[in-house]
Amino acid sequence: MNANTKILALMAALAAGSALAEGTPSGTAITNTATATFTDPATNQPATPVQSNTVSTTVLPKPDFDIVYRDLTDGTVATTTPLPAGYEVEVLPGGEITTAYYVQNNGNVNNYVVGLAANTTGTPNAPAGVLYFLDTNKDGILGPNERTAGPVTQVTVPVDDPSTTQDEGVVSIIQVIQVPGNAAAGSEYAASPQGTADVFAAGTVAPRTEAAGDLQYSRAKLYTPQLTNNVIDGDGTTPGQQNPPTTVTPPGGTTPVPGYTDPTRPTTNIVAISGDLQVAYPKADGDNIDDTVVFVNSLTNGGTRPDAVRLFPTDQTGQGRSPIGTLNPDGSFTLPGGVTVRFTDAAGNSLPLGEGGYPTLTVDAGKTVNYRTVVTYPDYDSDPASDPAPISIIIGADSGNDGGLETNDTSTNTVYPPQLQFGDATPALGSTPTPAPVQTVVPGAPAGTGTGANTDSSAVFPMDVANTGAYADTYTLTGTVSVPVANANGTVTNQTVNVRYFIDTNSDGQPDTALPSAPGAGSTVVYTTPVVTAGTELKVFAVVDVPANAQATTLNGVTTLLTVNQSVTATYSGITRPDNNDQIAVTSNAGGVALTKSEPASARPGETLSYTITAKNNFNAALKNFYVTESNANPSTNVFTFTTFASVSATKTFTDGTVLYRFNGGSWQSSTIPATGTTVTSVDVGVDTNSNGTVDGNDLFPAQGQLNITFNVTIK
């Protein structure tokens, strides 16, 4: 049975082009003594055998060797495909592969020394190292004790004993190919043990190194990660990334697109999805603290190994990109412009920090896992002068199953910050607005919308609604002016006048189309703009129609201009900007003073004649030094020639002041009767509004104010 085993091994070796150890061991003495046997002729009996002299021959060395795979084959090169089973092994960067070989003593020299070296000719990439270990138990596996014993550079191979059924002329070794830590995915590293020893050839013994055609390569093939960095995965039960079933409508648009709300700010931030791009449209938050948007991204591991993926911001999409920014001790990244980026798991928990301090997300083979990208940036909306651009964050995902620190895939998240400027029109977008010149109006004149006119009752202010943010929006405009008006009874009250808003649709520089309006809070009116795209401005015109009874803004030498209070609010972002620096001057009108008198057409001597005088201020400004005089000195007046003064009384239509009387040019008094014995030839009636007991230039008879005076005289 044992003999058969050895014959089978020999047959296998021969069939494979290899040979087992051959020949008598070197140094063996081959002795020989011849013996002659015969019948003695004298006795006709067998004679004593006759022996020759003994001769001896010593077997000389005939050394030879071979290194073969465990299946006793060889003859491969670095790129041979396929290699025997078990000799091409998938490996991770920084790893190693171990493969087993036989070193065969094919000669007759015992304790035959064969030197070992690695041949890497033709390897696509040079290994970090190649080592050889003795496989002492010949199991083809590098055990702990065998590794501890250390690498070898030569082996000693016994000669085969032809007297046994075993092949003693074999030593088992293990080759270790070490792969660099930065090995690229899919790269290959090959090596073959190559022996050197004395061999017998051409009648002589000399050193020989295995020929290139007699080698037996092993190959380490780097694992290729199948990693996809993508937008949010909306379906954890289906392999790969799936968009969520929810939709959002970006500001300024009308068509829903796939998207979701910021998981930490669902009422203020929406995220729209387009391919491998996510765009956030944050609203203003009304504070001056840095703003934050949270995106949800996903990683899909399509490979066969779990993957500890490092995440970082990078500068371009695609593979092979390096991290950018400053990696902080907590795993966050600081980018230019005051932007920080950090990564958490899908629930918002911080990711563990892996090699190099990078946040690391482990994804099992064949799985898709969501994670959060938290972007913090300056609070642009609190400063109208800021001009934010879109903040694009390219997220790099680096597989832990390949070498180096560079992206295997990227996904892009972009924040579109809002911004709004509002003020008087400027020549260019983003220029600092300055208050427009004071607009002068004439109450009672026709209304108008033309700019530059000071002859109508309308003030027109060209304004800019500048969308200096990163996304489109619509805006609502409101404006009011508190206008003092003179009432018919002489009182002055404040009337709230709503600003009307127009745009210039025919580009002639003049307002021509009113914006749509609707009732607002209280008595205000709200006007709505069309969509204003990012980086553009809408020219609007604020028109204030002053009431016909508006009081002049210059009274008693003091000018108090009317302030136009305007406000614009972005429909989506919610940013509100006021503009309260435009002013209106109201001129004095030509209303004049209306003075009428009525009395009976006839009366008899001795009868009392009662008649009235009505005086009204039809100006839109108060009158100073105003009083009514009844005197013979008046034209066409002889009332005190043919009558005797009996009494006078007066009422006013306004509340301020006291009616005073003056007789014959004397002192002003509140009594309606002159001193006893006075012959009245003139009566003055006025109103003391500053309570100094007289009617003078410091008293203001209000616009639309009226005096109703009644005289009683007796006809002589």
Side-chain angles (χ1 to χ4, degrees), residues 672-692:
T672 62
I673 301 173
T676 302
T678 301
T679 299
V680 176
T681 58
S682 70
V683 178
D684 299 322
V685 182
V687 179
D688 174 19
T689 59
N690 65 349
S691 302
N692 66 349

Side-chain angles (χ1 to χ4, degrees), residues 423-497:
D424 295 279
T426 60
L429 174 69
S431 301
T432 302
T434 57
V438 174
Q439 298 292 298
T440 301
V441 297
V442 180
T449 57
T451 60
N454 293 319
T455 58
D456 57 24
S457 61
S458 299
V460 180
F461 298 93
M463 308 294 292
D464 286 342
V465 178
N467 181 357
T468 52
Y471 59 75
D473 213 335
T474 59
Y475 304 90
T476 57
L477 292 156
T478 60
T480 59
V481 182
S482 181
V483 181
V485 295
N487 299 310
N489 60 5
T491 60
V492 177
T493 56
N494 290 324
Q495 178 179 330
T496 298
V497 176

